[in-house]
Amino acid sequence: MKNFIGLNIKYLCENNFLSQDEFGAKFGLKKSVIGTYVRGISYPKVEVMQKICSEYNLTLDVFINEDLYLKHKGYTSDNVVTRVNEPQTPIHEAEKEALLKTIAAQQETIAAMKITIDTLLDK
């Protein structure tokens, strides 16, 4: 039976701006162990899943059987194809456009900062 444990751990790391090392430290686990969970090579013990669920206010059922990324985006199993065993998270067109705008704005900011730094160094 398929589950979403690995995808959900990956989502929780990304959504909370945590590296796998930082995520693992919260639960007394090493980065390499978290990596095996994310890749679906192994699964956490029930006690670990309970701690994760408690930390992120989830039920075990949701953590195991639902895709938190899609749930967060408002999708249900009725209107989306499962992401289990897919190598990358799908990005919808509106999200893609928003990300491209964010990248462009960040590039402009970086360029302006470089000019400021060059100006300050020339003084």
Side-chain angles (χ1 to χ4, degrees):
M1 181 176 211
K2 293 182 181 180
N3 67 63
F4 293 91
I5 295 169
L7 283 173
N8 286 340
I9 290 174
K10 181 179 178 186
Y11 169 79
L12 291 171
C13 289
E14 291 171 354
N15 197 51
N16 292 284
F17 306 102
L18 297 171
S19 67
Q20 289 182 6
D21 193 36
E22 293 167 325
F23 184 86
K26 291 175 76 96
F27 306 104
L29 302 168
K30 294 182 181 181
K31 175 185 177 180
S32 59
V33 173
I34 299 301
T36 64
Y37 298 161
V38 169
R39 290 189 306 277
I41 295 170
S42 65
Y43 300 107
K45 293 181 180 179
V46 172
E47 294 82 11
V48 172
M49 288 191 286
Q50 288 173 318
K51 289 178 185 177
I52 293 170
C53 290
S54 177
E55 175 72 20
Y56 295 102
N57 198 28
L58 299 167
T59 65
L60 274 172
D61 182 54
V62 167
F63 179 67
I64 295 169
N65 297 310
E66 294 186 33
D67 185 327
L68 294 176
Y69 171 82
L70 296 176
K71 185 178 178 86
H72 174 80
K73 295 294 182 184
Y75 296 101
T76 66
S77 57
D78 296 333
N79 64 4
V80 72
V81 176
T82 183
R83 295 187 308 128
V84 171
N85 297 324
E86 287 186 14
Q88 297 178 353
T89 301
I91 297 179
H92 302 283
E93 198 60 37
E95 290 175 289
K96 180 180 174 183
E97 290 301 318
L99 288 171
L100 290 173
K101 286 180 183 179
T102 300
I103 290 168
Q106 290 174 341
Q107 288 172 333
E108 288 177 19
T109 301
I110 290 168
M113 292 170 98
K114 284 181 181 178
I115 292 169
T116 302
I117 290 169
D118 288 343
T119 303
L120 291 171
L121 292 175
D122 289 340
K123 288 186 178 183

